[in-house]
Amino acid sequence: MTHQAEATANLIARDPRADGGQRQISIAADAIAIDRRVAGVRMRLALPIRAFRGVSLAMVENAHGCFYRVTLDHRDPDLTVTLAEARSENEIAPEWKAWAQFFQLPRLTLGLDQKITVLDRSLGELALGAVQPRKRGWPLKQRRSKISAFRKAGPNGRVMAVFREREIVCYE
């Protein structure tokens, strides 16, 4: 975490690969720090918030029934951080929105098929839209240059023939 970031929350989460089966997570507005010990070696992972995809809401089913889980979603499932869990949809919705606003990340929903759907097309104050095609690039490489486009192509079969003298070619 940066020197500006003050930890606003500290969580203890389950981590099956860590010694003692748990890790400590420090949450700040601009970074997440994960502290754990693996095989006696202490490690700390400091991740900027921009490394996360968004704040996701998922419905989880287990032997005790269904519940809702709000997570800070990362491409690597080991780095995903659980922020809140609740049995009621009415309890978890304000948490989900508050965490998304706190981190200035989009809200995501995670279906039972593990498909992610983006609800907010914004990143902080910036509204996200569809990606615009590039103006330069591969399709234009096949075209003629701008000057050549204005010139008329010469008639086919009209070839200059040089007889009984050397052809002089100058490129200067």
Side-chain angles (χ1 to χ4, degrees), residues 126-144:
L126 179 66
L128 302 177
V131 176
Q132 298 293 319
R134 296 186 67 176
K135 291 184 180 178
R136 296 181 190 164
W138 181 250
L140 296 180
K141 288 184 181 180
Q142 304 295 329
R143 293 185 182 177
R144 297 170 62 188

Side-chain angles (χ1 to χ4, degrees), residues 106-161:
R107 289 183 300 159
L108 312 172
T109 58
L110 188 63
L112 294 175
D113 58 351
Q114 300 301 314
K115 184 177 184 222
I116 295 175
T117 306
V118 179
L119 293 184
D120 299 330
R121 300 302 281 173
S122 65
L123 184 62
E125 298 295 318
L126 179 66
L128 302 177
V131 176
Q132 298 293 319
R134 296 186 67 176
K135 291 184 180 178
R136 296 181 190 164
W138 181 250
L140 296 180
K141 288 184 181 180
Q142 304 295 329
R143 293 185 182 177
R144 297 170 62 188
S145 68
K146 197 174 201 178
I147 294 173
S148 297
F150 292 117
R151 289 194 213 148
K152 289 184 179 180
N156 292 338
R158 186 174 151 193
V159 179
M160 299 283 290

Side-chain angles (χ1 to χ4, degrees), residues 41-161:
V41 177
R42 188 174 157 226
M43 64 177 67
R44 179 183 193 109
L45 300 170
L47 301 167
I49 289 300
R50 67 180 178 273
F52 293 88
R53 290 189 281 197
V55 180
S56 66
L57 175 66
M59 187 170 81
V60 181
E61 294 182 39
N62 63 10
H64 303 292
C66 295
F67 65 94
Y68 296 94
R69 178 182 291 154
V70 174
T71 59
L72 189 56
D73 196 45
H74 194 274
R75 292 194 195 311
D76 182 358
D78 287 340
L79 298 178
T80 295
V81 177
T82 300
L83 300 170
E85 291 181 343
R87 293 242 178 247
S88 169
E89 188 176 329
N90 296 331
E91 293 174 20
I92 203 71
E95 288 275 336
W96 179 36
K97 188 173 182 180
W99 281 114
Q101 286 177 345
F102 176 74
F103 292 124
Q104 294 185 347
L105 290 174
R107 289 183 300 159
L108 312 172
T109 58
L110 188 63
L112 294 175
D113 58 351
Q114 300 301 314
K115 184 177 184 222
I116 295 175
T117 306
V118 179
L119 293 184
D120 299 330
R121 300 302 281 173
S122 65
L123 184 62
E125 298 295 318
L126 179 66
L128 302 177
V131 176
Q132 298 293 319
R134 296 186 67 176
K135 291 184 180 178
R136 296 181 190 164
W138 181 250
L140 296 180
K141 288 184 181 180
Q142 304 295 329
R143 293 185 182 177
R144 297 170 62 188
S145 68
K146 197 174 201 178
I147 294 173
S148 297
F150 292 117
R151 289 194 213 148
K152 289 184 179 180
N156 292 338
R158 186 174 151 193
V159 179
M160 299 283 290

